[in-house]
Amino acid sequence: MTEIAIKGLAKSYGDTAILENVNAHLADHEFCVVLGPSGAGKTTLLRILLSQEAATRGEVLIDGVPIDPEPQPDRGVVFQRYSVFPHKSVLANVMLGPQLRAAPLLGRLFGARRRAIRERAEALLQEVGLGEHLAKFPAQLSGGMQQRLAIAQALIMEPKVLLLDEPFGALDQSTKKAMHRLILDLWRKNRMTIVMVTHDIGEAFTLATRILMVDKARRDPHAPTAYGSTITEDIRLDPDKKPALHVVDESADESHTMTAIFARYRADAGDCVVDEHPNFQAAG
Amino acid sequence: MKRAINLVPARPPAILLAVLPFALILIVYAIGSDIRLGANPNDKLMPSFSTIGEAVGRLAFEENRRTGEYVFWTDTAISLQRIVVGLAISTALCILIGIPVGFLPVLRALFGPFLAAFSLIPPLAVLPILFIVFGLGETSKIVLIVFGVAPFLTRDVALAVAAIPREQIVKAQTLGASTWQMMVHVVFPQILPRLFDSLRLSLGATWLFLIASEAIASEGGLGYRIFLVRRYLSMDVILPYVAWITLLAFLMDYALTLASRGAARWYHLGRAQ
Ligand SMILES: Nc1ncnc2c1ncn2[C@@H]1O[C@H](COP(=O)(O)OP(=O)(O)OP(=O)(O)O)[C@@H](O)[C@H]1O
Ligand SMILES: [Mg+2]
C-alpha cells in the first residue's frame, strides 16, 4: 500500500510564487499524470516529491509519514536527460543501486551475491528490451533506449513511487507508443505508484488513472509573480474502461509504427497533400 | 570555391602537412648555420648538425671521465624523476582536495575562496622560501612543482565536480548512495577525463618550474646542464637538450592521452581524436 498525501503545498523563490495551496490525495497504485503549461511548476512539484527541493509551506506524506528531506530509494526517478550514468555500461548502471545498498564502503559486491544481482539486472533489462545491449555505454544507445535503461535502473530498487519528468518528451511518436505500453506493463507488474509530468495531453489520457492540471488559478496583471500555480483540474480515469491501451498486444505493434502513424495523419490531411512522389508509391 | 573551414585534407597529405613545419625549421637552421660557419668557422651560435651530433655522442654514449656516468641519461633520469614525483603528488592532492571541496557545500564555502587566493601566489616568488625551508636538495624542487601545478589542478577538479549535472547526483541518492559512494562511483569517474586533460595542460608549467629550480640550485638534471654549459656558449649541447625536453614533454602528453582513452573509454566514444 502506498498512499500519497500532498497537503497545502506552496513553493516560492524569493518573492516569486511558483506553487500555492496544492492539495491532492493519491490512492494506492495510482498512475498520476501532471499536466500544465510550460513554466507552471510541474517540475518544481516533482522535485518537491523527490525531496530535491524543499517546500516553502505544506508537506508530503507517504502512508501518513512525512517524506524524508533527502532523496531516498523509496522514490525512484527518471529525468528527461542525465538520468543514467554515462561512465557505466548498461548492465553496470542497473547493478549499481543494489550494490551501493549492500556494500556501504566499496559499493561493489563479489561472488554469489554479485551474480544474484547480475541475474536480476539482466532479467529487468530483458524486460525493457535492452537484453542485447548489456555491454554498451549510454552514449551508444538511442534516446528511447536510454530512457528504458533509466527506468530499469530505477525499478531494480523497487521504489514505492516512480517519478518521471517528461521521460518521453524527446522521443518520436512510435517510440513513445512503445514506451507507453512498456511503462503500463511495468506499472501493473510492480504495483508501484507513478507520478509523471508531461505536457502531452494525449499521453495523459492514454496512461493516467488520475490527471492533475497545474496552472495559475488567479492572475494579478500588475504583479505577475504574486500568485503561484495550483491544481485547476483533478480527474480520475478507470483504466479498465480504456480498451486500446490496456491490452499489451504484440500484434497491435503494427498500428504504432512510424509508417502507420504517418499513414493516419496522411489520410487526415486529405486535400492538403497536393503532390506525392510516384517513385516511392511504386516501390511500396 | 569552398569556404576555408570546409577544406579538409585527406589522410596522407595531412601527415605530410604536419611534418612540413618541422622540416622547414630544420632546413632554415641548416642554411643559417652554413652561412654563419662560412663567415666564421669558430662561430658558436649555430653549430652544424655534425657538431651537435658529436656533442650528443659525447654526452650520451661516452662515460664521463670524472664521474663515470653517461651525463645525458643521468640528467634525463634525474629530471624525469622530479617531474613524475611532483606530478604524482599534485594529482593525488587535487583528487583528495578537489573532489571533496567541489562536492560538499560546507567545504566549498570554507576552502573555495582560500584555494582561489592560494592558486594566485606566483610559485617562483616563493622559491627562495622553499630553498630556505626544504634546503637545496630534491625536496624543494619537487615542492616547487607541486606548489606550481597542484592548486591549478585542484581548482580545475573542483570546478569539474560542480559542473556534473544535478540530476546525476539526485539520481545517485535515489539509488541509496552515500556521500562517499557518490564521490567514488559517480564524481571521480566522471571528472577523470577532465583530470587527464588538465594534467596535459599543466605539463608546460611543470617543466617550467623544474627547469627554473634546476637552473638555480642543482647537481644534475636537464635544466641544470643547459644553464651550466651556457657559460661556454655550448649551443651544440643546449639545442639538442631543448629538443630532447620538448620530445619528452610531447611523449608525456601523448601517454596521458592514451591513459585517458584507456581509463575513460566511455568519454572517448565517437569523439574526434
Ligand atoms: N531555482 C530556481 N530559482 C528561481 N526560479 C525558479 C527556479 N527553478 C524554477 N524556477 C521558476 O519556477 C517556474 C516553474 O518552473 P518549472 O521548471 O517547475 O516549470 P515546468 O512546469 O516544469 O515547465 P516546463 O513544462 O517548461 O518544464 C519557472 O517560472 C521557473 O523560472
Ligand atoms: Mg519541467
Side-chain angles (χ1 to χ4, degrees), chain A residues 222-260:
Chain A
H222 303 293
T225 63
Y227 297 115
S229 300
T230 187
I231 290 178
T232 55
E233 305 274 358
D234 183 348
I235 63 172
R236 191 185 303 280
L237 295 92
D238 184 348
D240 296 328
K241 292 185 179 160
K242 291 191 280 182
L245 59 117
H246 181 214
V247 192
V248 180
D249 181 2
E250 288 306 319
S251 66
D253 270 16
E254 274 302 296
S255 63
H256 292 316
T257 61
M258 192 89 166
T259 313

Side-chain angles (χ1 to χ4, degrees), chain A residues 13 18 36-45 47 53 166 197 199:
Chain A
Y13 292 107
I18 308 294
S38 213
K42 306 182 293 295
T43 298
T44 306
L45 176 60
R47 283 192 184 143
E53 205 86 56
E166 300 189 27
V197 166
H199 47 230

Side-chain angles (χ1 to χ4, degrees), chain A residues 16-242:
Chain A
T16 311
I18 308 294
L19 294 172
E20 60 182 33
N21 198 25
V22 173
N23 291 289
H25 183 95
L26 304 182
D28 183 40
H29 194 44
E30 192 97 86
F31 197 134
C32 173
V33 175
V34 179
L35 273 176
S38 213
K42 306 182 293 295
T43 298
T44 306
L45 176 60
L46 204 77
R47 283 192 184 143
I48 294 172
L49 293 179
L50 188 60
S51 301
Q52 183 182 346
E53 205 86 56
T56 312
R57 267 192 310 283
E59 57 179 351
V60 179
L61 310 164
I62 295 183
D63 296 332
V65 183
I67 53 171
D68 194 283
E70 291 182 274
Q72 296 294 0
D74 62 341
R75 286 155 286 150
V77 68
V78 174
F79 297 107
Q80 189 169 5
R81 294 175 63 202
Y82 303 122
S83 281
V84 296
F85 298 113
H87 60 284
K88 288 191 179 287
S89 72
V90 167
L91 185 61
N93 257 293
V94 179
M95 287 173 67
L96 181 64
Q99 291 193 87
L100 291 176
R101 182 155 54 189
L105 199 63
L106 290 181
R108 219 186 146 84
L109 292 174
F110 301 93
R113 293 171 76 194
R114 185 183 177 83
R115 267 198 305 283
I117 288 174
R118 190 192 163 99
E119 270 163 30
R120 212 146 58 81
E122 283 180 358
L124 203 53
L125 283 166
Q126 200 73 45
E127 221 174 314
V128 301
L130 291 176
E132 255 94 83
H133 308 281
L134 300 182
K136 287 194 177 150
F137 285 104
Q140 295 167 302
L141 303 179
S142 71
M145 289 156 94
Q146 288 190 23
Q147 290 308 69
R148 278 182 275 164
L149 173 58
I151 291 169
Q153 186 185 40
L155 285 183
I156 200 165
M157 299 306 284
E158 297 174 343
K160 288 181 174 176
V161 188
L162 184 59
L163 303 167
L164 307 163
D165 193 355
E166 300 189 27
F168 315 134
L171 305 182
D172 73 80
Q173 292 189 51
S174 57
T175 310
K176 223 183 213 183
K177 285 262 154 49
M179 296 294 286
H180 288 166
R181 276 203 305 285
L182 174 70
I183 197 75
L184 279 175
D185 207 17
L186 294 170
W187 170 68
R188 232 165 253 125
K189 232 180 246 169
N190 294 279
R191 289 211 60 83
M192 75 282 198
T193 297
I194 290 182
V195 179
M196 172 167 148
V197 166
T198 180
H199 47 230
D200 180 338
I201 299 173
E203 187 167 81
F205 278 89
T206 308
L207 296 175
T209 60
R210 184 79 175 272
I211 299 180
L212 301 178
M213 173 82 86
V214 175
D215 201 356
K216 288 200 176 179
R218 304 179 284 177
R219 262 171 239 272
D220 181 344
H222 303 293
T225 63
Y227 297 115
S229 300
T230 187
I231 290 178
T232 55
E233 305 274 358
D234 183 348
I235 63 172
R236 191 185 303 280
L237 295 92
D238 184 348
D240 296 328
K241 292 185 179 160
K242 291 191 280 182

Side-chain angles (χ1 to χ4, degrees), chain B residues 57-68:
Chain B
R58 190 159 30 79
L59 290 170
F61 305 115
E62 284 172 29
E63 281 185 30
N64 183 294
R65 255 170 276 128
R66 194 162 49 81
T67 58

